[in-house]
Amino acid sequence: MPTFDSMQVTGNATIEQDMQVNGNATIGTDMQVNGNETVMQNFNVMGNETIAGSLQVNGSQTVSGNIGAGSTVSALFRMVTQSQSTVPAGGFTSQQVRFYPAILPGQPGLVLKGTDGNNYVMFVDVSSGTPTLALMRA
């Protein structure tokens, strides 16, 4: 197998089998993978990334921009927002939402940052037989 200290491709390159990069790889415009791609450490996309199949993240995934999903975004444990929310202008309508003051660290749900800077877990409580939104401090 040939070994190169550096390689520059100014046009197109087609690899019929496997490509393994042990250091860093920078791709200036487009990279298309028709099979599977495994990234062991960090994967940084400065522009856009489109995944036609599925994306599995075994650790944590941080997205600075937007995630658009044509179907379902699913998390085994939690999805967390980092920005602090603000109170929208105008009034509010009274709705029944249950607040549980206890903290249950393993509570699955959607994690949102409150206007007080604390994280809250939002989930659906059906313990009374009627689905009700519930909040718990994370």
Side-chain angles (χ1 to χ4, degrees), residues 15 26 36 48 57 59 68 71 74 80 86 91 98 102 116 124 135 137:
I15 299 170
T26 300
N36 297 319
N48 297 316
V57 178
S71 182
S74 179
V80 180
T86 58
R98 294 187 179 160
D116 58 358
V124 178
L135 296 173
R137 193 146 164 223

Side-chain angles (χ1 to χ4, degrees), residues 78 99-105 107 112 116-123 135-138:
R78 289 182 176 169
F99 177 72
Y100 293 94
I103 296 175
L104 183 61
Q107 176 65 37
L112 300 170
D116 58 358
N118 292 317
N119 287 338
Y120 293 87
V121 180
M122 183 172 64
F123 59 99
L135 296 173
M136 175 182 295
R137 193 146 164 223

Side-chain angles (χ1 to χ4, degrees), residues 68-85:
S71 182
T72 301
V73 176
S74 179
L76 182 61
F77 183 59
R78 289 182 176 169
M79 288 193 302
V80 180
T81 63
Q82 298 296 327
S83 299
Q84 184 167 335
S85 59

